[in-house]
Amino acid sequence: MTAANQLNPPARFLMGPGPSDVHPRVLKAMATPLIGHLDPQFIHIMDAVKDMLRQLFKTKNELTIPVSATGSAGMETCFVNLLEPGDTALVCVNGVFGNRMSDIVERCGAKLVRIDAAWGSPIDPDQVKQALQKRSPKLVAIVHAETSTGVLGPLEQISKIVHDAGALFLVDTVTSLAGTDVRVDDWQIDAVYSGTQKCISAPPGLSPVSFSPAAVEAMEKRKTKVQSWYLDMTMVRNYWAGAKRVYHHTAPVSMVYSLYEALRLIFEEGLEARFERHRRNHQLLRDGLEELGFEFIVPPDYRLPMLNAVKLPPTIDDAPVRSQLLNEYNIEVGGGLGDFAGKIWRVGLMGCSCTKNHVNMFLAALRQIIK
Ligand SMILES: *Cc1c(COP(=O)(O)O)cnc(C)c1O
């Protein structure tokens, strides 16, 4: 038997839809010696992570924790805990992640009502209003930052419509959190999830979630068990938030260290300064890409700063140019998904990948390639 070669991946610049570049302090935190996951010292670390997550989500929600798995598990956590068989859920779909939400709703045995908008367009709040005149779903779900298309969802307007109809409001903030403002309490979001590898700039592996008191009440009123053992918040919350911590699963200790350090970096920078950095570098990238003949597929008012979805000019061939960027320049950018495959690029400026140097290096590489 022989061992495989020592790990030696190239030093890439991650400018796709995630993961993003990770700060050396976060990588170093992951190499911190392990302690037991029920060690009182670890419980202090868990509490500090919960506290920083509440500040990041701008919420007082007590039930705010990182789920021990990636963003999709956060999505699943929100749906499986709030929906029971026979419930109705309304899902806004204008890209890949709205579709994924719809799939999970059906797997919960709930009735799915979809509100569709064209990929690249935001959901029209009037459409939600009209749908809610015909039905009273238990919850309405929407993606804040649709990573497949670069569209920002109009959360505030839709939240009001949802609450007027007496439903819970569930929001995906995987790509938006820590890159643009997310106000869970002000926008009356009842269930929210995110991921560590986008604008938080930690490795993939944890999914911060937060539930409002109304969402917790809905969980407590369930008549059936949550279909997923692992994601059942009634048990997970005793582990992460109970007065006496009860073993449920083993928290991924090193991942929690990484999130701890990434959150510290976020608050050292300051949220407003971080959002402004994302806006400014987006503008720098926009100007450069437009000069090269790329066109943004999303109208300016709904454009994400951290995920730039652009139509390729006829002079650029998708796959060969992206391979050249990767192989010769170590720069990763994302291609299009679904109907957009081969037609658009998704250039990520998330967290530590959102710097002037990233933007200038990428534009310079592109100019050399297409010359
Ligand atoms: C990346 C992403 C997810 C899924 O997260 P994973 O960590 O890949 O499981 C969900 N929603 C959105 C909007 C995303 O960008």
Side-chain angles (χ1 to χ4, degrees):
M1 286 206 295
T2 52
N5 292 336
Q6 188 178 6
L7 282 180
N8 189 23
R12 305 285 203 210
F13 297 94
L14 300 177
M15 299 182 68
S20 54
D21 286 345
V22 171
H23 195 283
R25 262 171 59 188
V26 172
L27 294 175
K28 186 166 164 247
M30 293 184 80
T32 304
L34 295 189
I35 55 177
H37 73 116
L38 291 172
D39 185 315
Q41 291 299 322
F42 189 67
I43 288 174
H44 280 314
I45 294 167
M46 293 165 102
D47 287 344
V49 166
K50 288 190 297 180
D51 188 52
M52 287 191 283
L53 284 178
R54 282 190 199 100
Q55 295 178 58
L56 184 57
F57 276 128
K58 299 189 174 169
T59 183
K60 295 199 167 64
N61 288 341
E62 196 178 308
L63 189 49
T64 303
I65 63 160
V67 171
S68 303
T70 68
S72 304
M75 184 189 290
E76 196 142 16
T77 299
C78 289
F79 285 101
V80 298
N81 282 278
L82 293 175
L83 291 177
E84 293 188 74
D87 286 343
T88 300
L90 201 150
V91 179
C92 301
V93 184
N94 58 348
V96 166
F97 295 102
N99 270 329
R100 188 172 297 182
M101 286 175 157
S102 305
D103 189 358
I104 294 176
V105 165
E106 290 181 326
R107 286 165 195 257
C108 292
K111 286 194 216 84
L112 168 70
V113 180
R114 281 172 68 113
I115 294 189
D116 281 276
W119 283 36
S121 298
I123 300 289
D124 178 359
D126 278 339
Q127 246 181 304
V128 178
K129 200 177 212 167
Q130 278 163 24
L132 288 173
Q133 277 157 4
K134 290 185 219 134
R135 298 175 194 80
S136 327
K138 186 170 188 185
L139 64 82
V140 176
I142 189 171
V143 178
H144 189 204
E146 186 39 92
T147 322
S148 59
T149 62
V151 172
L152 187 72
L155 290 196
E156 280 185 87
Q157 276 165 288
I158 292 177
S159 171
K160 179 151 185 350
I161 295 166
V162 170
H163 286 103
D164 287 348
L168 296 168
F169 192 37
L170 191 165
V171 180
D172 174 319
T173 63
V174 176
T175 284
S176 53
L177 191 69
T180 191
D181 208 10
V182 173
R183 300 177 165 271
V184 168
D185 287 358
D186 288 352
W187 299 345
Q188 297 187 61
I189 299 171
D190 294 294
V192 62
Y193 59 91
S194 191
T196 41
Q197 78 274 28
K198 314 257 169 129
C199 292
I200 293 176
S201 268
L206 290 175
S207 174
V209 298
S210 183
F211 293 94
S212 74
V216 171
E217 195 187 320
M219 289 179 205
E220 283 165 357
K221 281 193 183 146
R222 289 181 67 103
K223 295 187 189 73
T224 56
K225 271 192 180 179
V226 173
Q227 72 183 65
S228 163
W229 181 88
Y230 191 67
L231 302 176
D232 183 343
M233 289 305 293
T234 59
M235 296 189 291
V236 174
R237 70 187 287 196
N238 289 331
Y239 176 51
W240 264 91
K244 190 172 180 313
R245 306 297 168 95
V246 182
Y247 166 67
H248 175 260
H249 62 283
T250 310
V253 173
S254 310
M255 282 307 308
V256 175
Y257 290 164
S258 80
L259 178 57
Y260 181 96
E261 196 58 26
L263 290 166
R264 270 168 40 83
L265 282 160
I266 289 170
F267 291 110
E268 282 173 20
E269 178 176 14
L271 287 182
E272 283 315 315
R274 193 175 180 91
F275 303 155
E276 178 60 22
R277 170 163 65 82
H278 281 80
R279 273 193 296 272
R280 271 208 310 269
N281 290 319
H282 156 73
Q283 285 161 2
L284 188 64
L285 177 69
R286 176 200 63 197
D287 294 350
L289 282 175
E290 286 180 347
E291 236 166 66
L292 289 169
F294 287 84
E295 279 171 38
F296 277 78
I297 64 168
V298 180
D301 286 353
Y302 298 99
R303 231 173 249 172
L304 295 176
M306 72 289 285
L307 195 285
N308 297 267
V310 283
K311 208 163 93 207
L312 298 175
T315 45
I316 293 185
D317 213 357
D318 173 34
V321 177
R322 269 194 300 129
S323 321
Q324 219 177 332
L325 279 169
L326 189 69
N327 297 325
E328 292 176 24
Y329 297 86
N330 274 314
I331 297 172
E332 176 181 274
V333 297
L337 298 175
D339 287 350
F340 287 147
K343 296 181 191 146
I344 71 162
W345 280 358
R346 292 176 303 144
V347 185
L349 295 175
M350 301 180 179
C352 289
S353 294
C354 181
T355 72
K356 282 192 195 119
N357 285 343
H358 279 82
V359 173
N360 291 335
M361 178 185 59
F362 165 65
L363 291 171
L366 207 48
R367 284 190 200 103
Q368 281 174 15
I369 291 171
I370 61 183
K371 195 161 66 189

